[in-house]
Amino acid sequence: MDDFIAARSQMALSLGFHIIFACVGMVMPIFMAISHYKYLKTGDEVYKGLTKAWSKGVAILFATGAVSGTMLSFELGLLWPGFMKHAGPIFGMPFSLEGTAFFIEAIALGFFLYGWDRFNKWFHWATGVLVGISGLASGILVVAANAWMNSPSGFDYHDGVYSNIDPIKAMLNDAWFSQALHMVLAAFVATGFAVAGVHALMILKNKNIEFHRRAFFIAATCACIAALLQPISGDISAKDVAKRQPIKLAAMEAHFHTEPYSPFIIGGIVDEENQKVDYAIKLPGVLSFLVHGDFETPVKGLNEFPKENLPPVAITHYAFQIMISLGMLLCLISLIYIVAIWKKRNWLSSPWFLKLFVFAIPLGYIALEAGWVVTEVGRQPWIIYEIMRTKDAVTPMPGIVYSFYIFTAVFISLSTIVIFLLYRQMKMVGKLYDPTDPHFKNNLKH
């Protein structure tokens, strides 16, 4: 492994781990606030126990997210000095604002965790809401910075010189809205299904059923609403990519040849050398319709772009297929959930129904990771689209491969610790917040 591949691998690994922590940090405080609101409105102590249990999980993941996010900040400067030298002054605003949002989130979380029975109850609830709003803002601001890499704006570029810098225009680039919308919904889908699945598993094991049923309902409802909205967001994102990055769209679909009635490709094995996709299901004209609104207009194929500008087609296509396949599967589960809520309430306690959500625990995060592969790999060979190539931004410092090994060990260790802490927290939840336990109300005070 050479240093360039090691640098890219280290960045991919770091982002792959951090995105999970970031999504949990964006969504779990919202779940926590919903549960807390239900407690304040109903006085039901089960919701208070649920809020306290979730808040402890938020604290654990907030800490790990802070660690992984800090590591990413250092990596940008250490691994990609060429990129930061030119891009830092342009897209630094969303990063600085993200730091402010993170600071507010940390303070609000401290207020919430230690504010039970110390603050006015609605002020206390508001601090929890602020944790959620700050978490969402942090995620959106980071995505705005990534969107700038896909749609650079807010500067003039002539002969290698960046001038007339406008940080606001850079932050509010053409890609930020579609990417931010898609990312926020993906965070709710991934985290919501994971949380709902864990609580469904506890219900199947007959552990503290009332507690886990209420938790399941909050998480599953949010996840299913987001999953059904996600295809709309995906269509917005795909049309935006077709306009700004047609080469990425062609790679996503492994669309090698410009032709009328351009087909939408499902599955298949990509043969980049011979520019074809074997064993695929092709829906004639569907890609043309999705991009242009009619079935005949050709979609530009990969054969019309310079070979040196082509991204890794197979990786981009497979990742895109994984993302949309799992997204459609989660939409199907969401429709079943809606039918259960409206028409078939008996399904909600059926083992087969709960097992669906247990099965779905990892699916949202797999789709999320696949989506980021599409976004990042599909942009290659550019680190700033059509401005700076990735190879020109990497550090000249030797020995990056050893840094990659060290960071890999750190992230594996961090993940192991988080899994252990969350598992222990889940076991404690079953003991401390069981309404049938005579010590239940006393446990709620601690």
Side-chain angles (χ1 to χ4, degrees):
M1 181 185 295
D2 61 29
D3 286 336
F4 176 59
I5 296 299
R8 289 187 61 187
S9 299
Q10 181 174 324
M11 203 69 195
L13 177 75
S14 302
L15 284 168
F17 275 91
H18 180 68
I19 195 173
I20 296 175
F21 301 137
C23 286
V24 173
M26 291 166 67
V27 175
M28 282 304 300
I30 303 297
F31 293 173
M32 182 180 74
I34 293 171
S35 175
H36 193 189
Y37 178 80
K38 284 181 171 289
Y39 164 64
L40 294 177
K41 293 298 289 185
T42 65
D44 190 332
E45 299 284 356
V46 175
Y47 283 119
K48 183 178 182 180
L50 177 58
T51 305
K52 285 199 167 188
W54 274 348
S55 68
K56 291 175 182 178
V58 168
I60 293 170
L61 290 161
F62 178 84
T64 53
V67 172
S68 61
T70 302
M71 292 169 69
L72 273 172
S73 299
F74 282 112
E75 285 177 312
L76 281 171
L78 293 172
L79 299 178
W80 311 103
F83 169 69
M84 293 303 294
K85 175 183 177 182
H86 297 290
I90 303 172
F91 81 138
M93 177 171 283
F95 273 132
S96 62
L97 291 176
E98 191 276 336
T100 302
F102 178 82
F103 180 68
I104 294 171
E105 184 182 7
I107 294 174
L109 182 59
F111 273 37
F112 186 82
L113 291 174
Y114 298 104
W116 289 99
D117 303 319
R118 292 181 175 87
F119 297 139
N120 172 275
K121 64 179 183 179
W122 289 108
F123 174 78
H124 183 223
W125 175 76
T127 63
V129 173
L130 186 57
V131 175
I133 293 173
S134 301
L136 286 173
S138 293
I140 290 171
L141 288 164
V142 170
V143 170
N146 178 268
W148 178 84
M149 297 164 69
N150 287 292
S151 180
S153 59
F155 64 97
D156 294 327
Y157 180 73
H158 298 289
D159 299 324
V161 178
Y162 299 78
S163 59
N164 299 325
I165 294 171
D166 184 346
I168 299 293
K169 188 176 180 181
M171 182 172 68
L172 302 178
N173 57 79
D174 291 340
W176 85 267
F177 174 76
S178 60
Q179 279 197 211
L181 176 63
H182 201 58
M183 180 65 207
V184 169
L185 288 174
F188 272 92
V189 172
T191 304
F193 272 103
V195 172
V198 169
H199 289 288
L201 181 61
M202 294 298 105
I203 295 171
L204 286 168
K205 291 183 175 182
N206 291 316
K207 293 184 177 180
N208 202 348
I209 291 177
E210 191 59 34
F211 175 91
H212 290 294
R213 181 175 286 128
R214 298 189 192 193
F216 170 83
F217 179 78
I218 293 173
T221 300
C222 292
C224 291
I225 292 172
L228 293 173
L229 292 174
Q230 191 67 297
I232 300 173
S233 166
D235 182 64
I236 294 171
S237 294
K239 282 182 167 61
D240 178 63
V241 169
K243 180 181 178 181
R244 293 182 300 94
Q245 296 175 295
I247 192 170
K248 179 188 284 188
L249 178 75
M252 288 159 57
E253 272 297 307
H255 181 59
F256 287 103
H257 305 287
T258 304
E259 56 185 338
Y261 300 98
S262 299
F264 185 87
I265 297 175
I266 300 175
I269 299 175
V270 177
D271 183 348
E272 293 188 54
E273 184 177 348
N274 296 307
Q275 297 191 339
K276 63 178 183 176
V277 184
D278 297 319
Y279 313 111
I281 299 172
K282 298 184 179 182
L283 306 177
V286 174
L287 185 61
S288 292
F289 177 78
L290 291 173
V291 173
H292 300 296
D294 67 78
F295 290 96
E296 185 176 359
T297 305
V299 175
K300 198 172 182 180
L302 290 164
N303 62 322
E304 294 199 26
F305 298 95
K307 285 189 175 181
E308 65 271 18
N309 290 344
L310 295 182
V313 178
I315 295 174
T316 307
H317 176 70
Y318 296 144
F320 180 66
Q321 294 291 308
I322 291 170
M323 180 184 69
I324 60 174
S325 298
L326 294 179
M328 290 300 99
L329 179 57
L330 293 174
C331 278
L332 177 60
I333 295 175
S334 300
L335 290 173
I336 294 172
Y337 178 78
I338 289 175
V339 172
I341 291 293
W342 281 357
K343 298 291 185 180
K344 301 286 186 180
R345 302 288 296 187
N346 60 305
W347 287 3
L348 297 174
S349 56
S350 298
W352 68 267
F353 179 83
L354 295 170
K355 287 177 182 178
L356 268 181
F357 281 85
V358 174
F359 171 73
I361 287 175
L363 300 187
Y365 284 114
I366 295 172
L368 182 75
E369 297 284 5
W372 272 101
V373 170
V374 172
T375 300
E376 298 303 295
V377 176
R379 188 182 63 243
Q380 299 305 314
W382 307 100
I383 192 168
I384 306 175
Y385 188 62
E386 294 188 331
I387 299 291
M388 177 184 287
R389 292 182 182 270
T390 308
K391 67 180 182 180
D392 297 329
V394 72
T395 178
M397 182 179 69
I400 297 300
V401 65
Y402 301 110
S403 172
F404 169 62
Y405 295 146
I406 292 170
F407 271 71
T408 300
V410 169
F411 275 113
I412 290 174
S413 301
L414 190 62
S415 300
T416 302
I417 293 169
V418 169
I419 291 170
F420 168 75
L421 290 174
L422 291 177
Y423 174 73
R424 190 178 70 169
Q425 178 65 23
M426 185 58 66
K427 288 181 68 176
M428 289 175 62
V429 163
K431 295 177 180 179
L432 294 178
Y433 304 124
D434 185 350
T436 62
D437 186 338
H439 302 292
F440 173 63
K441 290 190 175 181
N442 185 56
N443 290 337
L444 288 176
K445 297 178 181 178
H446 301 287

